[in-house]
Amino acid sequence: MSDIRTGRCLCGSVTLRIAVQGGGVSACHCSQCRRWTGGGPLYSIRADVLETTGEAAIASYRHSGWGERTFCGTCGTTLYWRMQGRPVAYVAPGLLDDQDGLTMESEIFVDQRAPWMQLVDGTSRTTEAEELAELEAFLEKEKADG
Ligand SMILES: [Zn+2]
Ligand SMILES: [Zn+2]
């Protein structure tokens, strides 16, 4: 069953409404996410449906051939990451008005994490090589499916 949650950026120019399955939060420890958040990792929650208001304030940055990082152009708040042109977004859970029921679930690019960053007990973990292999398999499958 999906759960509807609402949130907003720091200045309130952008609001969002998302549908999430479960309340699993993922942490990405890659060096790009670290720089983007200014500390890191990038915490995110998978949103199968994402509705936003304040489109004029929404800015995005394409840092690679596949990823897109979206933020509030007024206050700089991290909004979400997604694969370019895909509906599924990985939204920063810190934006959400109600954070009850969210739990840390997975950590990715764990071998890229800052030396001072501790892993959380009980999370599933993947390395950069594992993530890139999965991405490649996903892109291959998508190409094959047309
Ligand atoms: Zn803002
Ligand atoms: Zn990352």
Side-chain angles (χ1 to χ4, degrees):
M1 210 186 80
S2 72
D3 181 14
I4 304 294
R5 290 179 185 260
T6 56
R8 64 174 182 87
C9 67
L10 183 59
C11 75
S13 297
V14 180
T15 67
L16 37 81
R17 193 167 174 276
I18 62 174
V20 299
Q21 302 273 351
V25 174
S26 173
C28 181
H29 293 281
C30 83
S31 60
Q32 292 188 353
C33 286
R34 234 172 30 226
R35 285 216 160 78
W36 190 41
T37 62
L42 171 65
Y43 295 100
S44 67
I45 183 163
R46 181 189 158 114
D48 296 310
V49 177
L50 165 71
E51 294 165 8
T52 51
T53 66
E55 308 303 324
I58 298 177
S60 70
Y61 174 63
R62 294 188 168 191
H63 60 99
S64 67
W66 62 85
E68 179 176 24
R69 295 173 186 271
T70 304
F71 54 97
C72 174
T74 303
C75 69
T77 297
T78 295
L79 299 174
Y80 58 86
W81 181 97
R82 72 172 163 200
M83 298 272 283
Q84 291 168 17
R86 308 303 199 291
V88 173
Y90 295 85
V91 174
L95 309 177
L96 301 177
D97 301 316
D98 175 7
Q99 309 216 351
D100 284 354
L102 304 186
T103 51
M104 268 298 288
E105 188 174 76
S106 61
E107 296 184 76
I108 65 174
F109 287 81
V110 292
D111 53 334
Q112 295 282 303
R113 75 186 192 280
W116 50 268
M117 180 54 66
Q118 306 283 319
L119 294 171
V120 176
D121 280 346
T123 53
S124 70
R125 294 163 191 175
T126 56
T127 62
E128 178 181 25
E130 289 167 332
E131 279 301 312
L132 294 179
E134 200 175 303
L135 175 71
E136 206 160 301
F138 172 83
L139 293 174
E140 281 295 311
K141 183 178 179 302
E142 202 175 50
K143 205 186 290 172
D145 292 348

